[in-house]
Amino acid sequence: GTIVVTSNGAKGRFYADKTISQLLAHDEIPLCRIEDEPAFPYRGFMIDSARHMQTVDELKKYILAAAEFKFNVFHWHLCDDQGYRIESEVFPLLNEISSKRKYELLGGAEILSKLGLNKSGEEYFRYYKKDEIREIVEYANKLCIDIIPEIDLPGHTVAILAAYPELSCLKGKYEVYCENGITKDILCVSQEETYDFIEKLLTEITELFPYKYFHMGGDEAAKGHEIWEKDCSVCQAKMKELGLKNGKELQVYFNNRVNDILKKLGKTSIEWNDGIGENTDADIVGHYWITRGPLWVKNENNKRKFIVSTCPSLYFDYNNAVVPLKKVYKFDAVKSGFINEKNVLGLEF
């Protein structure tokens, strides 16, 4: 028999080969005609290497598996309260201090506590060398997968503050977090030193990642808004100067400034949806994870592009009882409120 493949370029041929390999898994290919194209251009998966870091070989294994199922974007979470995982020559303390925490296993998880594993183990000191990152980027590219790094800002930054406490509002002493969950500790977004740091750091990081998108986080910062509003005179003065009513509006100001930095570096910004406010720049891509009302979804869907990762429907860190495969297969971005399909880049798991 003969197999004829017609594709719109090299990536189309790559995905056709994957379809053929899936059919061959059943020992024979039936006489058939297959016309296949994705519903959305973005088919993403996220791996968190900040809390628990994977080896290069482990990442390659995951990337290869994802390629078999025609995923084309790897969202790589590389910085959080529990660790910073990228080699930095510009800010070496990010490795000496921010990449190290006292315990390998984090506290706060009930099941670990029952097993006697809560907040335990040896010192955890890991980060990726730049050459390792380049190796992963090249490997993924050969499998038609682009990589989007995430540096979470302005919250989820305790690991950074442990090394550079002068970037905080309270100028206190911080330690890399050894618990699950989040803290209220946050960057001071009203001092220029913070933006100088971020610009230098992002300039160093973006050199490693050629893909056009960069994820700047923005999620779960609301706890830190209280520090801006009540404890930081610099932030209070900035809100008064700009006519901002609260910390949420100050976060919008911050993320728009980070967006400007990323645009200068040739990148398109992505931000988790709970950080998005009324005046968030429309060219920032929204990453929808936390459920909002239908009016909010409709308004933002018409204003900006979105990646959809609705929790818990598309969160594979939950067990099968919470997120059964049937629920995943039945998920429909349009039915969940994103009626303006041209502004939906795709889904991410």
Side-chain angles (χ1 to χ4, degrees), residues 220-257:
E220 297 180 317
K223 283 187 177 181
H225 294 174
E226 182 179 344
I227 292 177
W228 294 343
E229 294 167 355
K230 297 181 180 179
D231 301 318
C232 181
S233 60
V234 179
C235 286
Q236 291 167 2
K238 179 60 72 173
M239 285 190 284
K240 185 176 181 180
E241 173 195 336
L242 298 175
L244 305 178
K245 294 193 291 287
N246 50 44
K248 179 60 182 275
E249 292 187 358
L250 184 59
Q251 183 178 349
V252 170
Y253 162 80
F254 167 78
N255 284 111
N256 286 347
R257 284 196 61 175

Side-chain angles (χ1 to χ4, degrees), residues 112-312:
L112 292 179
S113 181
K114 290 179 179 178
L115 294 172
L117 299 173
N118 201 325
K119 199 173 178 180
S120 62
E122 300 296 322
E123 179 183 82
Y124 198 70
F125 184 20
R126 296 185 182 183
Y127 61 92
Y128 296 102
K129 297 287 189 179
K130 287 184 176 180
D131 283 345
E132 290 178 317
I133 290 174
R134 293 187 183 103
E135 181 182 345
I136 289 294
V137 169
E138 182 181 1
Y139 181 81
N141 183 255
K142 289 178 180 177
L143 294 170
C144 295
I145 291 176
D146 293 304
I147 298 181
I148 299 174
E150 180 185 352
I151 301 297
D152 214 336
L153 303 167
H156 285 287
T157 48
V158 171
I160 292 175
L161 295 178
Y164 297 97
E166 64 271 21
L167 300 177
S168 70
C169 290
L170 304 180
K171 312 296 188 257
K173 180 174 174 57
Y174 300 89
E175 291 186 348
V176 178
Y177 205 40
C178 290
E179 305 284 343
N180 285 285
I182 59 173
T183 76
K184 66 178 182 179
D185 300 306
I186 198 165
L187 294 175
C188 181
V189 299
S190 301
Q191 60 180 16
E192 289 306 306
E193 294 89 340
T194 299
Y195 297 96
D196 292 341
F197 172 88
I198 289 171
E199 183 160 9
K200 289 174 183 174
L201 181 64
L202 296 186
T203 299
E204 182 181 31
I205 293 171
T206 52
E207 180 272 329
L208 299 169
F209 297 96
Y211 193 38
K212 64 181 178 179
Y213 291 108
F214 193 100
H215 207 304
M216 60 175 168
D219 62 312
E220 297 180 317
K223 283 187 177 181
H225 294 174
E226 182 179 344
I227 292 177
W228 294 343
E229 294 167 355
K230 297 181 180 179
D231 301 318
C232 181
S233 60
V234 179
C235 286
Q236 291 167 2
K238 179 60 72 173
M239 285 190 284
K240 185 176 181 180
E241 173 195 336
L242 298 175
L244 305 178
K245 294 193 291 287
N246 50 44
K248 179 60 182 275
E249 292 187 358
L250 184 59
Q251 183 178 349
V252 170
Y253 162 80
F254 167 78
N255 284 111
N256 286 347
R257 284 196 61 175
V258 175
N259 183 40
D260 288 340
I261 292 170
L262 286 166
K263 282 194 286 191
K264 285 199 301 182
L265 295 169
K267 300 299 182 183
T268 298
S269 303
I270 303 172
E271 181 178 1
W272 295 108
N273 72 290
D274 54 320
I276 292 174
E278 184 178 351
N279 295 312
T280 297
D281 289 343
D283 58 359
I284 295 176
V285 175
H287 196 157
Y288 187 80
W289 75 283
I290 192 165
T291 305
R292 298 291 298 271
L295 182 60
W296 187 94
V297 173
K298 179 181 178 181
N299 289 340
E300 291 297 327
N301 183 209
N302 286 327
K303 187 186 299 184
R304 71 184 72 253
K305 295 187 182 301
F306 268 93
I307 300 159
V308 181
S309 296
T310 307
C311 180

